[in-house]
Amino acid sequence: MKVISKIADIKREIKELKRAGKTVGLVPTMGYLHEGHVSLVDKSVSENDITVVSIFVNPTQFGPTEDLAAYPRDFDRDKEMVEAAGADVIFFPTPEEMYPEGACTKVSLSGITEVLCGITRPVHFAGVATVVTKLFNIVSPDRAYFGEKDYQQLQVIKRMVKDLNMDVDVIGMPIIRETDGLAKSSRNIYLKGEERTSALALSKSFNIISDMVKAGEKDVKKIKQAVTDFIHSYPHTKVDYVELVDPSDLRYLTQIEGDFVTALAVYVGKARLIDNKYFSGVIK
Amino acid sequence: MKVISKIADIKREIKELKRAGKTVGLVPTMGYLHEGHVSLVDKSVSENDITVVSIFVNPTQFGPTEDLAAYPRDFDRDKEMVEAAGADVIFFPTPEEMYPEGACTKVSLSGITEVLCGITRPVHFAGVATVVTKLFNIVSPDRAYFGEKDYQQLQVIKRMVKDLNMDVDVIGMPIIRETDGLAKSSRNIYLKGEERTSALALSKSFNIISDMVKAGEKDVKKIKQAVTDFIHSYPHTKVDYVELVDPSDLRYLTQIEGDFVTALAVYVGKARLIDNKYFSGVIK
């Protein structure tokens, strides 16, 4: 496995591989990998000749008050995990390599980025869209793999690829959870003491929704209130949002009419955790 | 020569050509072609196996009060000119094909797009950057050709390609002028009666700058005033801007220190005309 940090070097490498007819899969990450990331690498290895994992804590997707400096990093551990999973290349650029002085171009989306996490993180998705566009242009992947935990991010990237006519197949992979239900996340490392138990409030709240919907409840306001109250019954929690949305355009629902996604963002201590669940076929 | 209007069709076509090892040149245009465009097609034909000319009056680069509906169109004439110049494909999509319902992704640049034409045309360059990104992703050109008449546009596209790590060589080609000096433009058709003579004020004003600079004038304010007064001495003219800028980042100069570009935008009757000239080596 190669570790490449320069854009020109990986472009040259990829060009040779493409000329030899190889297919390329890309797994973009911010490092500090967990089993969720590994499931993406596994899938890419199974579907492509070459798998590139990018590890880059992208500064432009963090707001000024967010956890950029504190974001956990452990390159040596990441490298071992990626190599064990069978990836071929790690792309590991510096911020200066990705954003040299004078860089001023941004890719942004309206609508879909102005709901859910876009409300408290107004610069986040433009940062994501821009860095993913750059990574796609640098690595020229046939397929790119993203976790469904970041459900809004996945929809944003799918929309961007469609809108800008990019030639890459965007593949979403299921959330990987701890045995007790907590969605795996690099930010779980922030959870201290009883916060770890409180973090279960997110995944457990989906049961409440299932039960209410099965009982015939269609009023989203009532469901949101019940979920919020449930989460706040755990110590150290503060709901950022609880929303039931249209699965593709993330439009907020007020009434349940068919399939929907429940998306949550909750502060547990200092950690801002997200989770989501697709509800299908629960409505008669 | 083929005329293709569907994105999926031209993508398929290009993929086959690329697989066969062909190089592709792209000349993006809004149609109503003149000798300036033809010089781009000629250059592309000489440097690439395949030349694609796109003809698309891009609605997103026109402001709400601008001349989108009035913009001149003549596809049959364009087709003849492009075929005579030796191009292989015309890409001629509809607005609905380029911007289907729900499209919400934008490519934008800060700084370089907020000066010169960016002041009176605040949405223009995001429209240009977005459509050019789409065209690059659709046509996958090795080289793309733009006229230097739209000097700011050329710098914006070069910057975007660099910032987003796009794999395309952006080539600027010199302004083509009428024998009396008027820069060729599709919008010259708007000039009525004596406006055609007044339109010469733009190119003639460059002589004033040469003379002043040769005489040792370094104060940009004085030069701008002299140029503005000169242009306004012609009937039906109204200066939008006269600026002397750094050739690469378009920073406004207040003092002449080396090479510079003079960029002009002037309303002549209803037509908004632009012109520019690179001044090099005039300063000791």
Side-chain angles (χ1 to χ4, degrees), chain A residues 7 11 15 101-110 112 134 137-138 159-160 163-167, chain B residues 7 11 15 101-110 112 134 137-138 159-160 163-167:
Chain A
I7 292 169
K11 277 204 169 194
K15 227 165 242 173
E101 212 189 307
C104 62
T105 306
K106 193 173 75 176
V107 181
S108 60
L109 292 85
S110 56
I112 192 171
K134 286 170 66 69
N137 287 333
I138 291 166
R159 183 78 239 179
M160 173 186 82
D163 286 352
L164 296 182
N165 311 102
M166 294 171 171
D167 258 326
Chain B
I7 292 169
K11 277 204 171 195
K15 228 165 242 173
E101 211 189 309
C104 61
T105 306
K106 193 173 75 175
V107 181
S108 60
L109 292 85
S110 55
I112 193 171
K134 285 170 66 68
N137 286 333
I138 292 165
R159 182 79 239 180
M160 174 186 80
D163 286 353
L164 296 182
N165 312 102
M166 294 171 169
D167 258 326

Side-chain angles (χ1 to χ4, degrees), chain A residues 192-206:
Chain A
K192 303 297 175 204
E194 64 178 354
E195 290 166 6
R196 176 63 184 77
T197 308
S198 290
L200 293 177
L202 284 83
S203 55
K204 284 191 173 167
S205 74
F206 298 136

Side-chain angles (χ1 to χ4, degrees), chain B residues 207-247:
Chain B
N207 299 328
I208 293 178
I209 301 175
S210 287
D211 292 347
M212 289 181 82
V213 170
K214 274 180 200 154
E217 185 60 75
K218 292 183 188 303
D219 183 341
V220 168
K221 204 172 166 187
K222 284 186 187 158
I223 295 170
K224 284 168 58 172
Q225 192 57 57
V227 169
T228 303
D229 292 346
F230 172 78
I231 292 171
H232 284 160
S233 74
Y234 287 77
H236 315 296
T237 58
K238 189 177 177 324
V239 167
D240 180 1
Y241 64 75
V242 172
E243 295 293 349
L244 278 63
V245 299
D246 178 282

Side-chain angles (χ1 to χ4, degrees), chain A residues 19-31:
Chain A
R19 205 172 293 136
K22 304 289 188 191
T23 58
V24 175
L26 171 67
V27 181
T29 82
M30 298 213 300

Side-chain angles (χ1 to χ4, degrees), chain A:
Chain A
M1 190 185 66
K2 289 186 186 181
V3 177
I4 300 178
S5 60
K6 293 291 177 194
I7 292 169
D9 292 343
I10 191 163
K11 277 204 169 194
R12 198 180 315 114
E13 186 83 20
I14 298 283
K15 227 165 242 173
E16 276 172 34
L17 291 163
K18 289 256 167 178
R19 205 172 293 136
K22 304 289 188 191
T23 58
V24 175
L26 171 67
V27 181
T29 82
M30 298 213 300
Y32 212 73
L33 306 179
H34 52 67
E35 291 82 343
H37 299 105
V38 173
S39 76
L40 307 180
V41 178
D42 287 345
K43 184 75 171 171
S44 176
V45 168
S46 76
E47 293 186 337
N48 302 279
D49 298 323
I50 300 293
T51 289
V52 177
V53 178
S54 63
I55 298 181
F56 179 59
V57 182
N58 175 35
T60 69
Q61 71 192 65
F62 288 80
T65 62
E66 291 179 3
D67 59 343
L68 171 62
Y71 197 84
R73 293 159 166 91
D74 189 343
F75 182 73
D76 293 337
R77 184 171 149 278
D78 289 344
K79 189 181 162 195
E80 270 177 39
M81 289 174 76
V82 166
E83 184 146 34
D88 304 277
V89 177
I90 292 182
F91 178 52
F92 184 56
T94 62
E96 295 70 31
E97 178 74 3
M98 289 295 273
Y99 301 108
E101 212 189 307
C104 62
T105 306
K106 193 173 75 176
V107 181
S108 60
L109 292 85
S110 56
I112 192 171
T113 60
E114 293 163 298
V115 295
L116 303 177
C117 288
I119 295 172
T120 45
R121 308 190 72 189
V123 305
H124 177 65
F125 289 110
V128 169
T130 304
V131 80
V132 170
T133 296
K134 286 170 66 69
L135 290 170
F136 284 0
N137 287 333
I138 291 166
V139 177
S140 306
D142 298 278
R143 297 174 194 86
Y145 301 82
F146 296 86
E148 287 176 354
K149 188 173 88 41
D150 298 287
Y151 188 82
Q152 186 174 12
Q153 170 178 281
L154 178 61
Q155 302 313 313
V156 165
I157 289 165
K158 282 185 173 175
R159 183 78 239 179
M160 173 186 82
V161 163
K162 191 175 174 182
D163 286 352
L164 296 182
N165 311 102
M166 294 171 171
D167 258 326
V168 53
D169 197 2
V170 175
I171 294 155
M173 293 290 290
I175 298 176
I176 304 289
R177 298 181 180 278
E178 305 289 350
T179 48
D180 62 5
L182 177 65
K184 299 228 182 203
S185 165
S186 307
R187 287 188 169 100
N188 290 348
I189 188 118
Y190 298 149
L191 298 168
K192 303 297 175 204
E194 64 178 354
E195 290 166 6
R196 176 63 184 77
T197 308
S198 290
L200 293 177
L202 284 83
S203 55
K204 284 191 173 167
S205 74
F206 298 136
N207 299 327
I208 294 180
I209 301 175
S210 286
D211 292 347
M212 289 181 82
V213 170
K214 274 179 199 153
E217 185 60 74
K218 292 185 189 300
D219 184 341
V220 168
K221 204 172 166 186
K222 282 185 189 160
I223 296 171
K224 284 168 58 172
Q225 193 57 58
V227 169
T228 303
D229 293 346
F230 172 78
I231 291 171
H232 284 160
S233 74
Y234 286 77
H236 314 297
T237 59
K238 190 178 177 321
V239 167
D240 178 3
Y241 64 76
V242 172
E243 295 293 349
L244 277 63
V245 299
D246 178 282
S248 62
D249 65 11
L250 307 186
R251 191 171 36 87
Y252 290 170
L253 303 176
T254 54
Q255 202 68 15
I256 294 177
E257 291 154 354
D259 290 4
F260 65 92
V261 166
T262 299
L264 309 174
V266 178
Y267 289 94
V268 182
K270 287 194 170 175
R272 183 176 177 281
L273 304 181
I274 58 174
D275 202 343
N276 70 82
K277 188 174 164 69
Y278 196 109
F279 289 81
S280 68
V282 288
I283 315 297
K284 299 285 160 268

Side-chain angles (χ1 to χ4, degrees), chain B residues 8-250:
Chain B
D9 292 343
I10 191 163
K11 277 204 171 195
R12 199 179 317 113
E13 187 83 18
I14 298 284
K15 228 165 242 173
E16 276 173 34
L17 291 164
K18 290 256 167 178
R19 207 172 293 136
K22 305 288 189 191
T23 58
V24 175
L26 172 66
V27 181
T29 82
M30 298 213 300
Y32 212 74
L33 306 180
H34 51 68
E35 291 84 342
H37 299 103
V38 173
S39 75
L40 307 181
V41 179
D42 287 344
K43 183 73 171 172
S44 175
V45 168
S46 76
E47 293 186 335
N48 301 279
D49 298 323
I50 300 291
T51 289
V52 178
V53 177
S54 63
I55 297 181
F56 180 58
V57 182
N58 176 36
T60 68
Q61 71 192 64
F62 288 80
T65 62
E66 292 180 2
D67 59 343
L68 172 61
Y71 197 85
R73 291 159 168 90
D74 189 343
F75 181 73
D76 293 337
R77 184 170 148 280
D78 289 345
K79 189 181 161 194
E80 270 178 39
M81 288 174 78
V82 167
E83 185 147 32
D88 305 277
V89 177
I90 292 181
F91 178 51
F92 184 56
T94 63
E96 295 71 30
E97 178 74 3
M98 290 294 274
Y99 302 106
E101 211 189 309
C104 61
T105 306
K106 193 173 75 175
V107 181
S108 60
L109 292 85
S110 55
I112 193 171
T113 61
E114 293 164 292
V115 295
L116 304 176
C117 288
I119 295 172
T120 46
R121 309 190 73 189
V123 305
H124 177 66
F125 289 110
V128 169
T130 304
V131 80
V132 170
T133 297
K134 285 170 66 68
L135 290 169
F136 284 0
N137 286 333
I138 292 165
V139 177
S140 306
D142 298 277
R143 296 175 195 85
Y145 300 83
F146 295 87
E148 287 176 354
K149 188 174 93 27
D150 299 286
Y151 188 82
Q152 187 175 11
Q153 171 178 278
L154 177 61
Q155 301 314 313
V156 165
I157 290 165
K158 283 185 173 176
R159 182 79 239 180
M160 174 186 80
V161 163
K162 190 175 173 183
D163 286 353
L164 296 182
N165 312 102
M166 294 171 169
D167 258 326
V168 52
D169 197 4
V170 174
I171 294 156
M173 293 289 291
I175 297 175
I176 304 288
R177 297 180 180 279
E178 305 289 351
T179 47
D180 62 5
L182 178 65
K184 299 230 182 203
S185 166
S186 306
R187 288 187 169 100
N188 290 347
I189 189 126
Y190 298 149
L191 298 169
K192 303 296 175 206
E194 65 178 353
E195 290 166 6
R196 177 63 183 77
T197 309
S198 290
L200 295 177
L202 285 82
S203 54
K204 284 190 172 167
S205 74
F206 298 137
N207 299 328
I208 293 178
I209 301 175
S210 287
D211 292 347
M212 289 181 82
V213 170
K214 274 180 200 154
E217 185 60 75
K218 292 183 188 303
D219 183 341
V220 168
K221 204 172 166 187
K222 284 186 187 158
I223 295 170
K224 284 168 58 172
Q225 192 57 57
V227 169
T228 303
D229 292 346
F230 172 78
I231 292 171
H232 284 160
S233 74
Y234 287 77
H236 315 296
T237 58
K238 189 177 177 324
V239 167
D240 180 1
Y241 64 75
V242 172
E243 295 293 349
L244 278 63
V245 299
D246 178 282
S248 62
D249 65 11
L250 307 186

